[in-house]
Amino acid sequence: MACLGVFVAYLPVTTVSVSLPAIQRALGASTSQLSWVSDAFVLPMAALILTTGVWGDVHGRKWVFQTGMALCALGAAISLSADSVQWVWAGQAASGLGAAALLPTTLALISHAVPDPRERGKYIGLWAMALMGSLAVGSLIAGLLLEHVAWRWIFLLPVPVSLTVMAVAASRLPDSRAPHGRRLDWPGQITAAVAVTAVVYGVIEGGADGFGAPVVVAALALGVVAAVAFVLVERRSASPMLDLDLFRSPAFTATALVAMISFLGLIGFFFVLSLYFGMVQHLSTFDAALRMVLVAGTSLVASAPVGRLMHRVSARVLITSGLVVAAGAMFSLTGVDADTSYGAVAWRLVLLGLGMGAVLTPMTASAVSSVPFRLAGMAAAGNNAFRQVGGALGPAVLGALLTTRALDALPGRLADAGVPAGASDRVLDTAREQGLGAVAGLDLDAATGPALSALGDAFLDGMRLCMIVSGALALLAALACALLLRPAPAPVPPAARAGNVSGGVSGEVSGGLSPGAGRTRPTPAPAATTGTSP
């Protein structure tokens, strides 16, 4: 049930990403509207993933699991029947709410069903493979469907799968709760949701309207104020959604940074790459899917040997090496153009997949092992939350960079291609008002071919900037990992821990926190943290 749940939860990521050009053509969406097709799914997941974990602890994980599956089915049904980009946003948002409920709850169900930590690791590995498998096959499913039917049918699969899983889970899935009471942190939840939504909205609209636009400035300012309010609220909360004492651990801070940057680059990369295959190389959706599946597929294949290497090679070496390899792949993609062959693109995508495969598994394990056991569940949920915030920012940041750089380069590219002044003005007006993809629908007579060629060159200018920024961010994360992610000390034996209970220090130090960390508020019993922890 847990593997099926996370599989359904992540299907929209690559299924929708590879279909973006088809959605744009069918609904006439601008580039910023297209960014919201991806972000409408990721934003609710990022904003609510911590809350749903607590909700399952309080009200029962089976109920939250069933609710998440129902929301995934509902969201897919809405998108399946959508006749405008706004309805696709609504469907994606409902699916994102379902994914937010499923991601921590599926881990909690495994933790409850398999109490032995060593045995549980095998099932967490299967869970992670289901997640990566969803990313890998999602693009192929979309590619096959779009070869024969309309774009909306890519949303069909989650509906029968979700309903079937719900029917089986009703009688077969055991329920569980945290063994002690937890409370929802509403002030923290509200301020976190406002901060994430405002920042992502500001970045997306800034790429379309300019970062000096009043609504953009107001959104970014609101995001900063909400983020500060979140920190203040969490420091004073008796039952915080995210205990800020976690950041006393340099290792947790490093893994949080790596999680956010990795998914910012990965989800943003899928967004840009799908547009490159559609707008520049003019590939069919299936041909584009065959290329995009190389990243997730290689990551999936690499995850098994990386999991075995974790017993012999430190997480710092694995994560740092993976990020450096991923950065190299990003930088190498600046060399592609409209005529780059499948083989020349494929080796770059395989290299990126290998790098990401070396990062994702040890990243989550390090986040949990870097803190005391009582905070392990919150550390796992926090790492997932930072990952999804990065996923939400990916299409927003890279979409804004892509649009801004391409529009700046387009006048020069049109002039170089010899496009007449009148036709050039039409192209520029259409690109600025309706998005880069709308230019492909213009009829410019003899100037159509040169104009489309100029558009492709301008897009490549924007894409190269995105790859440079992504590669630089990956190197920054690698540096943070190398400096902050230190090997965890050996666990303190139970007898030793019992002898130090009165001091309350040894448990903190063994988890990587500074002495005395986390003593400002009462702490729950250790068993309660297993609710959201691998």
Side-chain angles (χ1 to χ4, degrees):
M1 292 295 101
C3 290
L4 286 171
V6 76
F7 182 88
V8 170
Y10 265 79
L11 261 183
V13 176
T14 50
T15 303
V16 172
S17 292
V18 77
S19 307
L20 288 175
I23 294 173
Q24 186 175 41
R25 289 192 299 269
L27 301 179
S30 66
T31 304
S32 64
Q33 288 177 322
L34 216 56
S35 297
W36 278 109
V37 171
S38 298
D39 277 320
F41 171 79
V42 181
L43 262 178
M45 196 194 312
L48 297 173
I49 192 170
L50 290 170
T51 295
T52 55
V54 178
W55 197 273
D57 289 346
V58 174
H59 298 287
R61 291 150 189 159
K62 179 177 180 178
W63 181 85
V64 175
F65 177 88
Q66 294 285 64
T67 302
M69 296 303 301
L71 285 169
C72 285
L74 174 64
I78 292 173
S79 298
L80 182 63
S81 58
D83 58 2
S84 69
V85 71
Q86 288 77 15
W87 277 108
V88 177
W89 295 346
Q92 285 282 86
S95 297
L97 288 171
L102 289 170
L103 196 60
T105 305
T106 49
L107 283 172
L109 289 170
I110 293 175
S111 297
H112 174 74
V114 189
D116 180 19
R118 295 183 65 85
E119 183 72 11
R120 187 191 308 153
K122 294 188 295 185
Y123 293 95
I124 295 296
L126 293 174
W127 178 92
M129 290 182 69
L131 188 156
M132 293 305 300
S134 180
L135 295 178
V137 305
S139 56
L140 290 178
I141 291 172
L144 286 170
L145 288 174
L146 291 176
E147 287 287 301
H148 306 287
V149 295
W151 63 270
R152 66 183 71 255
W153 293 103
I154 65 171
F155 296 103
L156 176 63
L157 182 61
V159 178
V161 174
S162 297
L163 295 177
T164 302
V165 170
M166 289 177 65
V168 175
S171 60
R172 301 291 297 170
L173 188 66
D175 197 7
S176 64
R177 302 172 188 236
H180 82 290
R182 293 188 69 185
R183 297 194 305 273
L184 286 174
D185 176 23
W186 286 112
Q189 173 55 60
I190 292 170
T191 52
V194 171
V196 172
T197 304
V199 169
V200 173
Y201 176 84
V203 172
I204 290 178
E205 296 304 316
D209 303 329
F211 286 92
V215 67
V216 174
V217 173
L220 294 176
L222 176 61
V224 172
V225 171
V228 173
F230 173 77
V231 172
L232 296 177
V233 163
E234 295 301 275
R235 290 186 66 86
R236 290 167 172 79
S237 174
S239 180
M241 183 175 70
L242 182 65
D243 194 331
L244 299 182
D245 287 337
L246 289 170
F247 292 97
R248 292 177 181 267
S249 165
F252 178 82
T253 302
T255 55
L257 181 63
V258 170
M260 186 164 64
I261 291 177
S262 298
F263 262 57
L264 187 156
L266 185 62
I267 305 302
F269 171 81
F270 280 137
F271 177 79
V272 173
L273 194 67
S274 66
L275 295 179
Y276 162 72
F277 287 140
M279 292 177 55
V280 178
Q281 291 206 320
H282 306 293
L283 298 177
S284 68
T285 306
F286 183 69
D287 287 336
L290 288 176
R291 289 156 174 79
M292 291 181 67
V293 76
L294 291 172
V295 180
T298 305
S299 295
L300 177 62
V301 172
S303 61
V306 168
R308 290 192 292 268
L309 279 175
M310 286 178 61
H311 299 291
R312 304 175 184 175
V313 182
S314 72
R316 177 169 60 173
V317 171
L318 287 173
I319 298 174
T320 302
S321 302
L323 287 168
V324 170
V325 170
M330 293 288 188
F331 289 135
S332 72
L333 283 163
T334 60
V336 303
D337 55 33
D339 301 319
T340 301
S341 66
Y342 173 83
V345 172
W347 73 261
R348 293 171 165 92
L349 300 183
V350 169
L351 191 65
L352 178 60
L354 287 172
M356 296 305 300
V359 169
L360 297 179
T361 301
M363 175 180 65
T364 302
S366 297
V368 175
S369 63
S370 66
V371 300
F373 181 76
R374 65 179 178 82
L375 295 175
M378 190 178 290
N383 188 266
N384 274 326
F386 278 102
R387 188 182 304 173
Q388 302 313 323
V389 168
L393 287 172
V397 172
L398 295 189
L401 287 174
L402 175 69
T403 301
T404 302
R405 180 69 184 98
L407 288 177
D408 288 344
L410 189 54
R413 292 295 188 179
L414 289 168
D416 293 342
V419 178
S424 179
D425 290 341
R426 283 188 62 192
V427 169
L428 292 172
D429 290 342
T430 301
R432 288 166 182 158
E433 294 174 8
Q434 303 177 40
L436 297 171
V439 175
L442 293 177
D443 183 7
L444 303 173
D445 297 327
T448 299
L452 292 179
S453 177
L455 176 68
D457 290 338
F459 182 96
L460 286 170
D461 290 337
M463 178 179 166
R464 290 180 184 119
L465 175 62
C466 290
M467 296 301 102
I468 291 171
V469 170
S470 296
L473 287 173
L475 290 179
L476 177 63
L479 179 62
C481 180
L483 295 177
L484 297 176
L485 191 58
R486 306 186 188 100
V492 179
R497 286 201 300 268
N500 286 283
V501 166
S502 60
V505 173
S506 64
E508 316 299 335
V509 176
S510 68
L513 297 180
S514 60
R519 284 192 250 167
T520 57
R521 59 177 67 92
T523 58
T529 63
T530 60
T532 54
S533 168

